[in-house]
Amino acid sequence: MAVQNSKTSIFERFNSYQPSKAILVWACAMTAVATIVVGFNLGGWVSSGSSLQAATAAGKTARGELASAICVERFKAAPDATGKLTEFKALSDSYKKRQFIEAGGWASMPGQTSIDSDIAESCSAALSV
């Protein structure tokens, strides 16, 4: 007599499996949740709030760099720029250097009447190099 093998292979069991609707719904829901978790953690997805913060910070940085470059160019275009630069580099304190830039009027941007101390600080740092 031949012995019949009652074990079915994994492929046969997979082909004959018929999940219920509840299992299908839960599988879809868990797949969606896993996609969202992986997307935000590893995929580089960001929310609108964090992208707005990043864009605002990048805008402030770019505006500051542009204003500093304008300040440095205005300083170098001033009459007796080499003498002023020597006088500027002779100052030891960063606060006095910033005041020197502010007093010279180089930290005010075109069209503005007030002097921005942040611009003066970054201009001072650029000129100190």
Side-chain angles (χ1 to χ4, degrees):
M1 271 213 177
V3 178
Q4 289 183 336
N5 189 358
S6 65
K7 284 188 166 184
T8 57
S9 72
I10 187 120
F11 298 110
E12 290 173 349
R13 282 187 276 160
F14 182 74
N15 285 336
S16 66
Y17 179 69
Q18 294 182 355
S20 66
K21 289 179 185 177
I23 290 177
L24 286 175
V25 168
W26 279 108
C28 289
M30 294 307 291
T31 302
V33 168
T35 301
I36 290 169
V37 168
V38 169
F40 277 104
N41 289 327
L42 300 175
W45 298 356
V46 293
S47 66
S48 63
S50 61
S51 67
L52 180 63
Q53 287 176 345
T56 303
K60 282 185 177 182
T61 301
R63 187 174 33 244
E65 289 174 357
L66 178 63
S68 177
I70 290 171
C71 176
V72 169
E73 288 303 314
R74 290 177 70 191
F75 184 90
K76 289 180 179 178
D80 190 28
T82 55
K84 295 282 186 185
L85 186 60
T86 305
E87 185 180 346
F88 173 78
K89 288 193 175 191
L91 298 172
S92 60
D93 187 16
S94 63
Y95 179 74
K96 289 180 182 178
K97 287 182 177 183
R98 190 188 69 183
Q99 283 183 328
F100 184 80
I101 297 293
E102 289 176 355
W106 299 294
S108 63
M109 291 297 100
Q112 289 182 338
T113 56
S114 63
I115 294 175
D116 190 348
S117 62
D118 292 335
I119 296 171
E121 184 71 33
S122 62
C123 183
S124 171
L127 288 170
S128 294
V129 176

